[in-house]
Amino acid sequence: MKRTTTFAVAFTLSAFLPLSAHAQAAAKKPFTFDEVMALRNVTDPQVSPDGRWVAYVVTTPDMKEDAMDSDIWIVPVSGGAPMRLTSHKKADTQPRWSPDGKRLAFVSTRDERAQIWLINPFGGEPEKLTDSKMPVQSYQWSPEGKRIAFVAQQELSPDQERQQKDKDDAIVIGKDYKFSRIWSIDVASKQAMLLIKSDVAISDPQWSPDGKRIAFVATPTPRADDGSMTDIMIADVDNCPGTGCVTRKLLENDGPDVAPRWSPDGRKMAFLTREGRSVLPGQLRLAVIEVGQQKPRYVTPDFEYEPGPATWSQDITGLFFTAPVKTTTQFFGVTLTGAKPLVVQQISDMKGVMGPFTFSKDREVIAFTHSDIHHPADVWTSRSRIAFKPVALTDHNPQVASLAMGTSELIHWRNPDGTDIEGVVIYPVGYVKGKRYPMIVNVHGGPSGVWTQSFPGSWGNFGHVWASTGWVAFYPNVRGSSAYGEKFLAKNVKDWGKGDYQDIQTGIDVLVGIGVADKDRLAQSGWSYGGYMTAWTITQTTRFKAAMVGAGLTDMFSMYSTNDLQRTLEGYFGEQPWNDEKAYRDASAMTYIKKAKTPTLIQHGGADTRVPLGQAQELYMGLSKNNVPVEMVVYPREPHGLQEPRHQLDKMRREYAWITRWVLGADENSKMTP
């Protein structure tokens, strides 16, 4: 179908790296799906109190066991070879240093249920600390290092255990919730005591500096839909009766309030908040409050981006945090004294993405992960939080240097309604200027997700495989994406399938217009909201030769009552579906299913509650009954995102095979991997 979309002639391309020469590309190996599955994922860097070491997690897919193998590593900040502390086949995660830096705690599933273990990082074997009947979810050392507070789901009563054993386990929807609890365990005696047993979902326990109080985040129920109703609670744990500690709210606010962080003197709390209980999409703000008072001070009221959890300076005069800035993440600081209004200062200027950071006790050493388009995440450090000079400490994927990867650029264009849009483009290996290539358009989830300058090597984004096989990979950050400010975040409210759809199409027009993409060899894919946009797209245009809809929303009316985020949908659509049926029907691919002609692969998790399987089944039936080539693949046991390595590999291979078959005419029975 011929399209006559108008777009602004003025656009810019800003290169991340210079284009590769043919000789360089020819000397390297192709980036295959096996290479994707061999990548090691580096996360959760924890700098030791003295600033000399960083502990972190390395996760590798174990294809033989069909599981993720996570282990704890440490690396010296001064440089040197990383050392692997654990090597169990089960998951070892959440490394946390004791306050004196002599021990390292971590959570392990080596005894089936997740428990806290201790290890001397400089010699010795792990020792099991907790023996909780329910898996440990999170924990924190007390300031003096003698206790650990941990969160675990409430234990089953004897009657519940019997009913579970007898399979007499009917669930009453909206009532039979499993709440979480906070326990404290004495490290020396291993005696555990129940501290908090309120009927709420608990997360993020934080000891006060004097060890007499614990702050935590409480959600009314474990339902995802209640995630916008969080409160910060404080419990006096120094004197708890047998019925549990008495708790009180940090402040009265409709929420959400999250990420409580005590000041070093214990008098103040920094936290992330949003005033009122609006269902509209919006950003959290950083605030500070005197504990015991009710009026917070908003530290970042005019800051364009959304701050992450903050860390106090030792002298209590400032806060540090990271925030996503368009396709990057940057490190910021704000001084709480002096100028009013407070000025947020950007400290870093890094290409790519910084992960969560930790500080040494004196705040002089910072550790974090960093990745970019051509480098998977590794541990980085800077020895000063002000004169920020980041240095890489690890290289857990050295094989990547021998793989052929496409170069990348940032492209900007203007939608017909005047909205400025940005996206990432990865060029084919050996790209020749002026030559047109097949192009895959990948739409992110969310809808408040965002494509960044991070490494595209995962089951959900294997851009380097596409580039290695001669494709352009295009990642548009359409309206509604995060990291572009609150106004941009809310631009697709009551507008799904309209402005966001045009953002994608005009971006494609730009790449076709400058001679990069072949208009006759286009495909689109996406997962979650990206799946929604792809299902919508195939009912609006026939310009694509193939599509992959992953965990996609297809019928917004039925989606509302069967998924787990009703408040989110009310925020975007303005009403419940029976109060505005037209809004939900008009934004549903199924309403226009008879217009669909594009060969479509549907992939979905069999245990998905975020986007229930029925959404995929509706699309499959609509396409098949209208004689559109379609194939549907369901992955048993999988939730909204695929977790099992074999399923991840299968998903990539099927997607590649389907798209190349219909776009390039490749035989259906050709090999499924490049």
Side-chain angles (χ1 to χ4, degrees):
M1 180 177 72
K2 186 175 180 180
R3 301 180 68 259
T4 56
T5 302
T6 302
F7 56 88
V9 176
F11 62 89
T12 60
L13 290 170
S14 53
F16 298 155
L17 292 173
L19 295 179
S20 300
H22 280 290
Q24 291 175 314
K28 295 190 174 185
K29 298 185 298 183
F31 211 121
T32 68
F33 294 127
D34 288 335
E35 296 289 354
V36 172
M37 299 308 298
L39 291 170
R40 301 173 184 89
N41 188 28
V42 177
T43 58
D44 202 9
Q46 300 288 320
V47 66
S48 61
D50 61 8
R52 296 177 59 192
W53 298 88
V54 179
Y56 58 99
V57 179
V58 178
T59 303
T60 306
D62 186 333
M63 300 307 296
K64 183 178 179 181
E65 298 294 330
D66 194 26
M68 293 296 182
D69 183 8
S70 299
D71 291 302
I72 310 299
W73 291 62
I74 62 170
V75 63
V77 170
S78 60
M83 294 176 288
R84 184 174 180 174
L85 285 187
T86 67
S87 57
H88 204 279
K89 282 295 183 182
K90 298 293 185 177
D92 295 334
T93 60
Q94 298 188 54
R96 299 293 184 266
W97 295 92
S98 61
D100 62 7
K102 295 180 179 180
R103 289 170 294 181
L104 195 66
F106 62 95
V107 174
S108 178
T109 59
R110 59 187 66 197
D111 279 356
E112 300 308 323
R113 290 195 305 270
Q115 302 290 344
I116 299 173
W117 292 64
L118 298 176
I119 190 172
N120 179 342
F122 311 109
E125 293 296 320
E127 176 188 3
K128 185 177 175 182
L129 177 64
T130 61
D131 191 22
S132 171
K133 290 184 178 181
M134 304 302 287
V136 172
Q137 299 170 355
S138 61
Y139 70 99
Q140 192 192 43
W141 285 90
S142 64
E144 81 288 347
K146 295 180 179 180
R147 297 166 292 168
I148 289 178
F150 66 92
V151 177
Q153 194 177 83
Q154 68 186 93
E155 298 178 359
L156 298 178
S157 67
D159 283 345
Q160 290 172 327
E161 288 182 344
R162 177 186 54 77
Q163 290 171 340
Q164 189 178 76
K165 182 179 180 180
D166 295 342
K167 297 183 180 179
D168 179 19
D169 51 0
I171 298 172
V172 179
I173 299 300
K175 292 185 177 180
D176 287 346
Y177 295 121
K178 297 295 186 292
F179 296 106
S180 45
R181 307 289 192 235
I182 295 182
W183 294 72
S184 174
I185 187 167
D186 182 85
V187 174
S189 68
K190 298 185 180 181
Q191 293 296 309
M193 179 176 67
L194 181 60
L195 296 180
I196 314 295
K197 55 180 180 179
S198 305
D199 283 343
V200 293
I202 292 172
S203 60
D204 200 10
Q206 298 287 324
W207 289 91
S208 63
D210 60 8
K212 295 181 178 181
R213 293 164 291 174
I214 289 180
F216 60 93
V217 176
T219 308
T221 76
R223 296 174 65 241
D225 200 43
D226 287 344
S228 62
M229 301 168 65
T230 53
D231 288 307
I232 295 173
M233 307 296 292
I234 296 177
D236 294 311
V237 299
D238 203 37
N239 184 22
C240 290
T243 55
C245 305
V246 176
T247 63
R248 64 185 186 279
K249 286 185 183 180
L250 174 68
L251 77 161
E252 291 293 338
N253 177 41
D254 284 339
D257 301 312
V258 294
R261 299 295 183 265
W262 297 90
S263 61
D265 63 1
R267 295 173 56 190
K268 299 178 181 179
M269 185 83 74
F271 62 104
L272 300 177
T273 184
R274 192 175 174 211
E275 290 183 278
R277 182 167 291 159
S278 172
V279 295
L280 293 173
Q283 295 182 164
L284 296 171
R285 306 294 182 194
L286 181 58
V288 171
I289 193 171
E290 292 273 352
V291 177
Q293 303 297 315
Q294 280 294 313
K295 188 173 179 59
R297 180 186 189 188
Y298 295 93
V299 176
T300 58
D302 301 317
F303 186 56
E304 186 175 5
Y305 308 106
E306 182 173 76
T311 296
W312 288 85
S313 64
Q314 277 292 76
D315 60 6
I316 322 177
T317 62
L319 295 167
F320 301 95
F321 59 90
T322 58
V325 179
K326 299 180 179 179
T327 60
T328 72
T329 306
Q330 302 298 341
F331 183 52
F332 294 86
V334 57
T335 301
L336 302 178
T337 58
K340 294 183 179 181
L342 302 177
V343 177
V344 177
Q345 178 187 5
Q346 182 173 326
I347 297 172
S348 68
D349 185 19
M350 299 186 74
K351 299 291 185 183
V353 175
M354 294 176 64
F357 67 95
T358 55
F359 273 112
S360 58
K361 186 175 181 179
D362 61 8
R363 306 298 193 266
E364 288 303 313
V365 177
I366 178 176
F368 56 95
T369 57
H370 177 263
S371 71
D372 60 35
I373 294 286
H374 296 89
H375 301 91
D378 268 298
V379 177
W380 286 60
T381 187
S382 174
R383 285 190 171 274
S384 172
R385 64 190 184 279
I386 303 301
F388 193 73
K389 295 180 180 179
V391 176
L393 293 181
T394 66
D395 181 13
H396 279 282
N397 290 284
Q399 77 282 5
V400 166
S402 66
L403 302 177
M405 291 182 283
T407 55
S408 58
E409 292 183 301
L410 201 59
I411 181 173
H412 302 80
W413 68 97
R414 185 169 296 157
N415 185 292
D417 67 4
T419 303
D420 291 321
I421 307 296
E422 183 175 67
V424 177
V425 178
I426 299 179
Y427 287 93
V429 172
Y431 170 72
V432 177
K433 188 175 182 179
K435 180 180 176 180
R436 295 184 182 274
Y437 294 85
M439 185 168 75
I440 176 74
V441 183
N442 198 338
V443 185
H444 65 64
S448 59
V450 64
W451 291 123
T452 65
Q453 297 176 37
S454 58
F455 191 76
S458 69
W459 65 269
N461 175 14
F462 46 94
H464 282 313
V465 177
W466 288 112
S468 187
T469 55
W471 287 67
V472 176
F474 176 40
Y475 305 92
N477 279 334
V478 301
R479 66 192 62 199
S481 301
S482 60
Y484 289 85
E486 196 163 47
K487 290 182 179 179
F488 192 84
L489 181 68
K491 261 189 172 292
N492 63 344
V493 170
K494 299 183 181 181
D495 194 48
W496 280 29
K498 299 176 181 64
D500 44 12
Y501 168 74
Q502 288 297 329
D503 294 341
I504 297 169
Q505 303 311 310
T506 51
I508 295 170
D509 292 341
V510 166
L511 291 169
V512 170
I514 62 175
V516 172
D518 184 341
K519 66 180 180 63
D520 296 320
R521 293 187 292 171
L522 299 174
Q524 183 171 309
S525 70
W527 200 267
S528 191
Y529 169 80
Y532 163 82
M533 279 306 311
T534 303
W536 174 263
T537 295
I538 64 174
T539 67
Q540 306 299 308
T541 180
T542 58
R543 80 186 303 190
F544 296 96
K545 292 294 187 294
M548 191 288 290
V549 175
L553 302 71
T554 63
D555 184 337
M556 300 311 301
F557 194 93
S558 62
M559 172 72 180
Y560 175 88
S561 294
T562 56
N563 90 326
D564 60 1
L565 289 175
Q566 283 72 41
R567 287 190 183 89
T568 297
L569 294 180
E570 290 167 15
Y572 280 106
F573 286 86
E575 259 295 356
Q576 298 165 356
W578 32 82
N579 293 330
D580 192 350
E581 182 176 350
K582 185 177 185 298
Y584 283 77
R585 298 295 188 197
D586 286 352
S588 297
M590 295 310 300
T591 302
Y592 310 97
I593 194 64
K594 286 191 174 183
K595 296 181 180 180
K597 305 296 180 185
T598 306
T600 301
L601 171 65
I602 303 169
Q603 297 178 298
H604 215 102
D608 193 345
T609 56
R610 180 59 41 84
V611 181
L613 184 59
Q615 294 292 301
Q617 291 169 324
E618 289 192 45
L619 181 62
Y620 175 75
M621 191 58 63
L623 294 175
S624 60
K625 288 293 185 180
N626 285 283
N627 300 313
V628 178
V630 61
E631 183 175 291
M632 179 174 169
V633 181
V634 177
Y635 294 100
R637 301 173 300 281
E638 295 286 10
H640 192 50
L642 303 185
Q643 298 180 347
E644 299 177 21
R646 291 174 191 164
H647 285 164
Q648 294 176 354
L649 180 58
D650 184 85
K651 180 267 181 187
M652 292 188 291
R653 286 177 170 173
R654 287 184 188 276
E655 181 178 347
Y656 178 84
W658 180 268
I659 288 176
T660 55
R661 171 192 172 190
W662 290 102
V663 176
L664 305 180
D667 185 83
E668 180 180 8
N669 296 314
S670 64
K671 60 181 180 179
M672 293 178 68
T673 184

